[in-house]
């Protein structure tokens, strides 16, 4: 048997536990001493912000679930009961509803940060793939959550999205029947969506833990995209990054609070305050804003199966991004040509989002088609070709040299290895 | 300050997209000025009480408001005995009693506002096929909210000469499709306000819209008051966090 290790903690209870289950050593190692490149900017806070949003969503969701009834005849009224009669129910629900949007805002910024600074490149491929998985599960969770209040947009959104699967040959219709639990969106659909909406956040939590574990193996990327070479290039996570992330979290919470308290229904659709009615179709069925770019791609292709493939493909190709981008240079700072295409892609995503909110006809349909084409063109053609053709600017020798102009003080407590390659 | 910039940018982005989603439909609804608008705005209780009177005397003949308990009215300044009086004015379907029979009893504040029709079919049958929508959430269930309610109630007019209004329908300039089953119900001095306010159509529309805003969002005042406190707290906290961050990182440079 291995000897119980002597540990360094002063508290004997902590020591006793830690020598048998080294969780304190692990936390100390991963969160106190974890070396962060000293040049990370505030865009690096959005990972922490997204993590906090997940916790807020699980906490508020738990209390909503205690009051909610997942039956078609009760769901809408039970949500209104939460809004009217449950103590601070309005607060819990508005935090949860707007929290979903804020979660997506944080995650989208987090993803575009990864795109800009090449955070998906070796050795962070699995980290990135786990991130794309998180995004997928998040989309599923958000979609099913939006169905639960059983308003008009809930019902018709569910009808449109579940029907997408019927586009697949042979397996399509059985999949749709399984999703519905019957032959139309009805009570069994609502019930299973509620069950899955409760389950998936914990799947998300597991994925987030893996995402963080993978991150702590490779270490964080940074705006220069070069690896730290020694302790002079990094700062220990705590307290330097905790306080910096903490400030960013508070700023984010202020914006969150503005929505919750002063415009709680701004990001929702008024039709969802009308109870679901299978006999009345809303004039325009639109998903929540965070799905609009994908919705635009879905409608841009004249063929149903083609549209569905384009929509799922737009996310699926993100899995292959680490291999589509042939350039060895991570950060856009040193890729003058790619940087411009990055911004074109960002604008393209915004335009697709707007096109998704408009009826699929006339000029917006044409714009959506061009936007969809460009999205795929960017990833499938531009990225591989640019990696070969582009001449990147010379990379700096080290982070500290570049940031501090001749090296700086080593942060107190920075003794950890720069790269934690396990 | 880059976080702030990013955050503002992202918020603006979200606003833009959500706004776009909503702007996609319908007629232009002119904005009115509401005492409950803005950060410090609160429900105008006198207007909401007048609005309740109009609901009771006019709207409730056809429209239900079944999600709101009568006690909700405490939020616009009705005292407990007044609430009991208002509730007692309604006959509520109850039972079964010990003999197994359903019966009618006077309402209590905990009851919800009784609906004028037992079911949607009865409502349609009595209204020429049109279903008067429930008013509990009207102020949140239409693009434009209370502005829409005001515009709708003041939007009845003679149809343009080239528009043929169908049998039993009425022309309204803001209703989608312009033809609506509901007649122009608000008349000048159609109600008499106890506080002496002159009951013009505009005044009534304003008061009903205020009341329905309150009914759709009974915790509106509490929400905004809490919001001011939360944001003030977070601003102070952000200031402290920033100062600590600056101090801590200053040793690194």
């Amino acid at each position: 048997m291995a000897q119980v290790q002597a540990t360094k903690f002063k508290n004997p209870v902590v020591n006793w536990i830690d020598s048998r289950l080294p969780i304190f050593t692990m936390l100390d190692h991963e969160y106190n001493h974890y070396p962060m490149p000293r040049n990370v900017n505030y865009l690096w806070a959005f990972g922490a912000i997204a993590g906090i949003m997940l916790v807020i969503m699980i906490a508020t969701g738990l209390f909503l679930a205690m009051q909610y009834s997942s039956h078609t005849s009760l769901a809408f009224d039970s949500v209104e009961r939460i809004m009217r009669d449950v103590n601070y129910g309005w607060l819990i629900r508005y935090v949860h509803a707007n929290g979903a949007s804020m979660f997506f805002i944080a995650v989208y910024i987090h993803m575009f940060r990864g795109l800009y600074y090449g955070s998906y490149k070796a050795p962070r491929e699995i980290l990135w793939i786990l991130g794309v998985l998180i995004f997928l599960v998040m989309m599923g969770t958000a979609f099913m959550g939006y169905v639960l209040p059983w308003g008009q947009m809930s019902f018709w959104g569910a009808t449109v999205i579940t029907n997408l699967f019927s586009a697949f040959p042979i397996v399509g219709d059985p999949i749709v029947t399984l999703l519905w639990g019957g032959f139309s969106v009805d009570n069994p659909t609502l019930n299973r969506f509620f069950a899955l909406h409760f389950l998936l956040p914990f799947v998300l939590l597991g994925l987030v833990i893996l995402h963080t574990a993978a991150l702590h193996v490779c270490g964080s990327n940074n705006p220069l995209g070069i690896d730290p070479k020694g302790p002079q290039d990094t700062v220990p996570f705590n307290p330097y990054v905790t306080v910096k992330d903490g400030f960013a979290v508070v700023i984010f919470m202020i914006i969150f609070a503005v929505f919750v308290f002063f415009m709680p229904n701004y990001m929702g659709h008024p039709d969802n305050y009308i109870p679901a009615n299978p006999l009345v179709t809303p004039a325009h069925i639109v998903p929540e804003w965070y799905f609009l770019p994908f919705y635009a791609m879905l409608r841009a292709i004249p063929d149903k199966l083609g549209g569905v493939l384009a929509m799922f493909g737009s996310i699926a190709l993100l899995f292959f991004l680490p291999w589509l981008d042939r350039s060895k240079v991570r950060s856009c700072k040193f890729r003058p040509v790619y940087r411009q295409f990055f911004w074109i892609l960002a604008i393209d995503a915004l335009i697709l989002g707007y096109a998704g909110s408009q009826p699929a006809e006339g000029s917006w349909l044409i714009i959506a088609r061009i936007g969809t084409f460009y999205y795929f063109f960017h990833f499938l053609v531009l990225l591989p070709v640019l990696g070969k053709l582009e001449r990147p600017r010379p990379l700096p020798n080290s982070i500290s040299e570049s940031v501090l102009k001749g090296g700086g003080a080593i942060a107190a407590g920075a003794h950890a290895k720069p790269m934690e390659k396990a | 300050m880059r976080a702030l910039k990013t955050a503002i940018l992202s918020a603006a982005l979200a606003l833009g997209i959500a706004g776009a989603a909503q702007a996609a439909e319908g007629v232009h609804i002119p904005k009115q000025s509401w005492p409950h608008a803005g950060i410090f705005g609160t429900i105008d209780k006198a207007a909401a009480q007048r609005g309740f009177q109009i609901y009771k005397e006019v709207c409730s003949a056809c429209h239900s408001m079944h999600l709101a308990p009568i006690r909700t009215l405490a939020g616009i300044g009705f005292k407990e005995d007044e609430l009991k009086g208002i509730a007692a004015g309604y006959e509520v379907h109850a039972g079964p009693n010990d003999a197994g029979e359903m019966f009618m009893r006077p309402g209590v504040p905990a009851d919800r506002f009784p609906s004028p029709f037992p079911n949607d079919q009865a409502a349609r049958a009595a209204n020429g096929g049109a279903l008067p929508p429930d008013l509990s959430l009207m102020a949140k269930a239409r693009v434009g909210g209370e502005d829409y309610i005001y515009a709708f109630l003041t939007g009845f007019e003679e149809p343009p000469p080239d528009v043929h209004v169908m049998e039993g329908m009425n022309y309204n300039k803001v209703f989608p499709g312009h033809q609506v089953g509901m007649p122009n119900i608000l008349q000048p001095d159609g109600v008499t306000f106890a506080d002496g306010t002159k009951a013009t159509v505009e005044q009534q529309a304003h008061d009903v819209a205020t009341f329905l805003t309150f009914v759709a969002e009974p915790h509106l005042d509490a929400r905004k008051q809490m919001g001011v406190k939360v944001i003030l707290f977070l601003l102070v906290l952000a200031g402290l966090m920033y100062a600590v961050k600056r101090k801590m990182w200053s040793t690194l440079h």
Side-chain angles (χ1 to χ4, degrees), chain A residues 136-186:
Chain A
L136 263 181
V137 176
M138 214 179 129
M139 291 175 96
T141 313
F143 161 65
M144 287 192 255
Y146 194 57
V147 175
L148 300 185
W150 210 241
Q152 273 289 67
M153 276 301 159
S154 299
F155 179 86
W156 290 99
T159 304
V160 169
I161 302 297
T162 50
N163 259 316
L164 294 183
F165 291 92
S166 69
F168 295 112
I170 306 167
V171 292
D173 286 325
I175 291 178
V176 176
T177 308
L178 271 176
L179 282 172
W180 287 344
F183 301 99
S184 65
V185 175
D186 207 335

Side-chain angles (χ1 to χ4, degrees), chain B residues 67-107:
Chain B
L67 293 171
I70 297 167
R71 61 177 154 75
T72 311
L73 296 179
I76 50 173
F78 285 106
K79 300 278 170 287
E80 199 179 339
D81 46 332
E82 289 174 304
L83 287 179
K84 282 180 181 162
I86 291 168
Y90 290 101
E91 284 283 292
V92 179
H93 194 63
N97 60 15
D98 291 347
E101 283 155 0
M102 306 302 281
F103 58 93
M104 300 301 281
R105 63 160 170 78

Side-chain angles (χ1 to χ4, degrees), chain B residues 15-227:
Chain B
L15 290 181
I17 293 173
Q22 303 198 344
E25 35 206 276
V27 201
H28 174 68
I29 309 290
K31 289 227 175 295
Q32 309 297 325
S33 74
W34 302 100
H36 58 257
I39 295 173
F40 300 104
T42 52
I43 294 283
D44 177 350
K45 289 182 180 172
Q49 290 199 8
R50 291 195 298 271
F52 168 63
Q53 185 188 342
I54 300 163
Y55 158 76
K56 198 171 130 192
E57 293 176 13
V58 185
C59 317
S60 67
C62 300
H63 289 277
S64 63
M65 199 165 69
H66 79 286
L67 293 171
I70 297 167
R71 61 177 154 75
T72 311
L73 296 179
I76 50 173
F78 285 106
K79 300 278 170 287
E80 199 179 339
D81 46 332
E82 289 174 304
L83 287 179
K84 282 180 181 162
I86 291 168
Y90 290 101
E91 284 283 292
V92 179
H93 194 63
N97 60 15
D98 291 347
E101 283 155 0
M102 306 302 281
F103 58 93
M104 300 301 281
R105 63 160 170 78
V108 294
D111 288 320
R112 298 185 175 198
F113 285 100
S115 303
F117 302 104
N119 50 55
D120 286 358
Q121 287 79 354
R124 281 187 192 277
N127 288 285
L131 176 68
D134 187 83
L135 296 182
S136 320
L137 286 163
M138 190 49 71
K140 293 202 286 192
R142 295 292 181 275
V143 176
E146 56 270 54
D147 290 321
Y148 172 81
I149 296 174
Y150 181 88
F152 175 80
L153 289 174
T154 56
F156 289 93
E157 55 185 30
E158 285 301 311
D162 55 328
V163 173
H164 172 71
V165 178
M166 287 183 293
E167 180 73 28
M169 301 295 265
N170 304 281
Y171 187 87
N172 187 295
K173 62 182 176 188
V174 300
F175 190 76
H178 299 301
Q179 303 207 21
V180 60
M182 178 173 151
N184 184 12
I185 199 76
L186 295 182
Q187 300 303 328
D189 296 316
V191 289
T192 309
F193 291 131
D195 63 4
T197 306
K198 187 158 169 46
T200 60
V201 170
E202 287 75 18
Q203 182 69 43
Q204 293 179 57
H206 171 91
D207 293 347
V208 169
T210 303
F211 174 65
L212 291 182
T213 302
F214 166 75
V215 171
E217 192 82 17
H219 299 291
L220 185 140
D221 291 356
R223 189 184 82 214
K224 288 185 179 175
Q225 281 155 15
M226 184 190 282

Side-chain angles (χ1 to χ4, degrees), chain A residues 16-333:
Chain A
W16 187 89
I17 296 172
D18 196 71
S19 54
R20 283 153 183 82
L21 178 69
I23 45 172
F24 294 101
T25 301
M26 194 271 275
L27 288 176
D28 184 52
H29 184 254
E30 298 299 332
Y31 290 98
N32 274 336
H33 302 300
Y34 173 69
M36 277 292 276
R38 65 192 302 157
N39 59 333
V40 295
N41 58 34
Y42 275 108
L43 286 174
W44 263 263
F46 283 93
I49 290 172
I52 287 173
M53 287 314 302
L54 176 62
V55 173
I56 290 176
M57 295 304 282
I58 289 178
T60 50
L62 178 69
F63 287 103
L64 288 175
M66 291 177 188
Q67 310 285 348
Y68 169 78
S69 298
S70 62
H71 189 282
T72 51
S73 63
L74 297 170
F76 189 90
D77 288 8
S78 74
V79 171
E80 271 311 303
R81 195 171 157 76
I82 291 170
M83 292 297 289
R84 289 160 193 274
D85 294 343
V86 172
N87 289 331
Y88 297 103
W90 58 268
L91 177 63
I92 299 169
R93 174 165 178 259
Y94 277 156
V95 166
H96 197 74
N98 288 283
S101 287
M102 298 307 286
F103 195 1
F104 270 97
I105 289 174
V107 164
Y108 279 136
I109 295 174
H110 190 61
M111 290 170 76
F112 272 100
R113 189 269 288 159
L115 284 178
Y116 188 86
Y117 293 111
S119 301
Y120 47 86
K121 292 184 192 183
R124 299 188 180 84
E125 298 95 326
I126 292 184
L127 174 61
W128 172 262
I129 288 171
L130 283 166
V132 179
L133 269 178
I134 289 174
F135 180 53
L136 263 181
V137 176
M138 214 179 129
M139 291 175 96
T141 313
F143 161 65
M144 287 192 255
Y146 194 57
V147 175
L148 300 185
W150 210 241
Q152 273 289 67
M153 276 301 159
S154 299
F155 179 86
W156 290 99
T159 304
V160 169
I161 302 297
T162 50
N163 259 316
L164 294 183
F165 291 92
S166 69
F168 295 112
I170 306 167
V171 292
D173 286 325
I175 291 178
V176 176
T177 308
L178 271 176
L179 282 172
W180 287 344
F183 301 99
S184 65
V185 175
D186 207 335
N187 195 50
T189 324
L190 179 61
N191 251 320
R192 63 192 54 198
F193 276 22
F194 180 47
L196 291 172
H197 185 70
F198 207 112
L199 169 73
L200 288 182
F202 297 97
V203 174
L204 267 183
L205 196 62
L207 286 170
V208 168
I209 290 170
L210 289 179
H211 189 66
T212 318
L215 170 72
H216 283 219
V217 172
C218 316
S220 300
N221 189 23
N222 62 78
L224 293 176
I226 56 174
D227 293 329
K229 293 202 165 66
Q232 74 281 4
D233 287 348
T234 62
V235 292
F237 190 86
N238 192 38
Y240 294 99
V241 185
T242 12
V243 70
K244 192 171 174 176
D245 280 1
F247 171 65
V249 166
V250 175
I251 296 295
F252 192 80
M253 290 300 145
I254 292 175
I255 296 162
F256 187 11
V258 168
F259 279 110
V260 168
F261 293 106
F262 299 109
M263 43 209 311
N265 294 306
Y266 194 81
M267 293 189 278
H269 197 289
D271 276 15
N272 229 26
Y273 280 110
I274 303 172
N277 185 347
L279 301 177
V280 180
T281 317
H284 301 296
I285 303 174
V286 282
E288 292 274 78
W289 68 265
Y290 36 78
F291 292 139
L292 288 175
F294 303 101
Y295 194 56
M297 290 193 214
L298 168 75
R299 301 186 306 176
I301 315 283
D303 173 64
K304 187 177 177 187
L305 180 59
V308 173
L309 288 177
M311 188 178 76
F312 287 121
S314 66
I315 299 163
L317 65 77
L318 293 178
F319 284 112
F320 303 99
L321 181 59
W323 297 277
L324 287 170
D325 187 347
R326 310 298 301 169
S327 172
K328 292 270 177 279
V329 176
R330 293 193 190 113
S331 174
C332 259
K333 276 196 171 168

Side-chain angles (χ1 to χ4, degrees), chain A residues 343-400:
Chain A
W343 285 111
I344 295 176
L345 179 75
I347 292 165
D348 184 49
L350 290 180
I351 291 173
L352 277 173
Y354 192 84
S357 75
Q358 301 298 313
E361 57 202 22
S363 53
W364 280 112
L365 184 59
I366 296 164
I367 290 168
R369 285 186 178 150
I370 298 169
T372 306
F373 171 78
Y374 184 79
Y375 181 91
F376 285 94
F377 180 74
H378 174 95
F379 286 105
L380 296 175
V381 179
L382 273 178
L383 274 184
V385 171
L386 271 182
K388 294 240 183 286
L389 297 185
E390 188 183 35
R391 188 179 292 262
R393 295 188 3 224
L395 297 175
N397 287 325
S398 79
I399 291 172
S400 54

